């Protein structure tokens, strides 16, 4: 009974902490401006199923995708067993679903195979991250905490799956000794290979089985509460992020309505467009100027670096890294959260996303090619943030690289980006 009370206490505390952390992240995302992503729900659902659940975009790199599939499917499905563990922990039962007979045996068999694949995938991922010279996993923004975070998660998954298999191995030996309550149930293709590592006496086996059981359940509860402070939050947020991703063609940019209306009135005095009397800030200076979807993107970032690896600016040695853009945005939101009290107005800390986190050199290095957006396995859009920062620099501060300033002047004077007069624009056809 004491063990059941301890388990119930730990379960309630873990769920409570997770709810508090999830609510904090929800509030952080709500700092962004409103944007409507409620249309075409069938298309959105299909996108989510293909991209988040089906891992469609991951398979552009087949080998890492297959390893990720082992870890993703294995870890998710094995945690179905958590339902049995929770019931056993609360009511003091043992393998409560064993009444399912052959179906139960088949489930445990599948869980064990998947647990082995999770360990296999995580070990290879550790080697890829720490041994192999993969450029996108060696860049500056992944050093220190991001690298440690990724390694901690991989090691934790290996330990959790190992505890699961050792628990089953001890259970199997206890079943053979007819020790109550270890009834004949389950099929153990992987853990049966580990029985030779365990002691033969019943008392020691019970200690091993119970220790692994507690290690596994406490580890899962700790993992649950580690997610909100790690990049592995994408395990949860990948689904809403892909559902709410933009359905417009990648090359289509969102125009500022206040600017559009002014241009319409300038070009056509008979236009029915209504000028915006309070247009607010043009572009993006800080995270308050971004939409909630941009902030959801930041929290959904897997830090895999596929966006940066595909970025032509980064490939040619420029400072821009789309992954860093998303990581910086998330870090800025977290910094703002630390300066705010619950339900109070935003505090001015003298910092902003532009300049304090993301430099001008980074935003002007972008070619706006959408390679980062196309490569992202969870449909994150760093380009929206970059373009918003550019709009602020140009429209609020009148600051842009000299080459762009010359282009703006040519458009204003000649109606084209070049320095030639409009009357000379077709001269090239004469040669």
């Amino acid at each position: 009974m004491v063990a059941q009370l301890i388990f119930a206490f730990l379960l309630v505390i873990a769920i409570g902490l997770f709810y508090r952390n999830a609510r904090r992240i929800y509030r952080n995302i709500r700092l962004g401006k409103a944007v409507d992503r409620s249309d075409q729900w069938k298309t959105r659902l299909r996108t989510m199923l293909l991209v988040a659940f089906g891992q469609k975009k991951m398979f552009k790199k087949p080998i890492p995708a297959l390893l990720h599939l082992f870890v993703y499917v294995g870890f998710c499905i094995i945690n179905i067993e958590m339902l049995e563990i929770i019931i056993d922990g609360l009511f003091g039962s043992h393998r409560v679903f064993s009444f399912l007979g052959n179906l139960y045996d088949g489930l445990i068999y599948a869980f064990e195979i998947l647990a082995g694949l999770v360990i296999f995938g995580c070990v290879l991922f550790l080697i890829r991250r720490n041994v192999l010279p993969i450029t996108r996993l060696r860049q500056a923004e992944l050093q220190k905490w991001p690298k440690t975070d990724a390694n901690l998660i991989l090691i934790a998954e290996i330990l959790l799956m190992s505890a699961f298999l050792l628990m089953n191995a001890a259970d199997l030996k206890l079943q053979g000794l007819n020790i109550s309550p270890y009834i004949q149930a389950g099929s153990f293709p992987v853990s049966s290979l580990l029985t030779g590592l365990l002691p033969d006496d019943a008392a020691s086996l019970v200690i091993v089985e119970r220790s692994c059981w507690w290690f596994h359940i406490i580890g899962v509860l700790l993992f649950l509460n580690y997610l909100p402070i790690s990049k592995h939050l994408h395990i949860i947020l990948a689904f809403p992020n892909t559902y709410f991703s933009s359905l417009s063609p990648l090359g289509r940019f969102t125009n500022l309505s206040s600017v559009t209306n002014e241009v319409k009135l300038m070009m056509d005095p008979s236009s029915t467009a209504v000028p915006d009397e309070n247009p607010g800030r043009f572009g993006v200076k800080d995270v308050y100027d971004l939409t909630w979807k941009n902030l959801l993107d930041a929290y959904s970032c897997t830090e895999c670096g596929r966006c940066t690896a595909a970025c032509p600016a980064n490939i040619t040695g420029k400072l821009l890294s789309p992954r860093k853009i998303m990581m910086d945005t998330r870090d800025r939101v977290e910094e703002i959260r630390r300066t705010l009290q619950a339900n109070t107005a935003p505090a001015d800390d003298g910092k902003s996303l532009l300049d304090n986190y993301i430099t001008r050199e980074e935003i002007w290095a972008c070619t706006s090619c959408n390679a980062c957006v196309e490569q992202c396995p969870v449909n994150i859009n760093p380009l929206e943030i970059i373009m918003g920062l550019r709009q602020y620099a140009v429209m609020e501060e009148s600051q842009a690289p000299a080459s762009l300033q010359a282009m703006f002047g040519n458009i204003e004077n000649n109606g084209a980006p070049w320095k030639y007069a409009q009357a000379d624009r077709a001269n090239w056809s004469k040669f």
Side-chain angles (χ1 to χ4, degrees), residues 92-94 179-183:
S93 55
H94 184 73
I179 303 297
S180 178
Y182 299 95
I183 58 174

Side-chain angles (χ1 to χ4, degrees), residues 288 332-342 344-349 351:
Y288 299 113
R332 174 56 180 160
V333 175
E334 287 293 316
E335 182 181 52
I336 287 175
R337 178 189 64 81
R338 290 191 292 269
T339 65
L340 292 177
Q341 299 295 327
T344 61
D348 184 6
D349 59 0
K351 296 181 180 180

Side-chain angles (χ1 to χ4, degrees), residues 172-209:
L172 177 60
K173 292 194 76 169
L174 287 166
Q175 290 181 27
L177 295 173
N178 293 318
I179 303 297
S180 178
Y182 299 95
I183 58 174
Q184 297 289 328
S187 181
F188 308 98
V190 179
S191 58
S192 60
L193 303 175
L194 305 176
T195 53
L197 303 175
L198 302 178
D200 294 322
D201 62 291
S204 298
L205 287 171
V206 170
I207 292 174
V208 171
E209 192 275 337

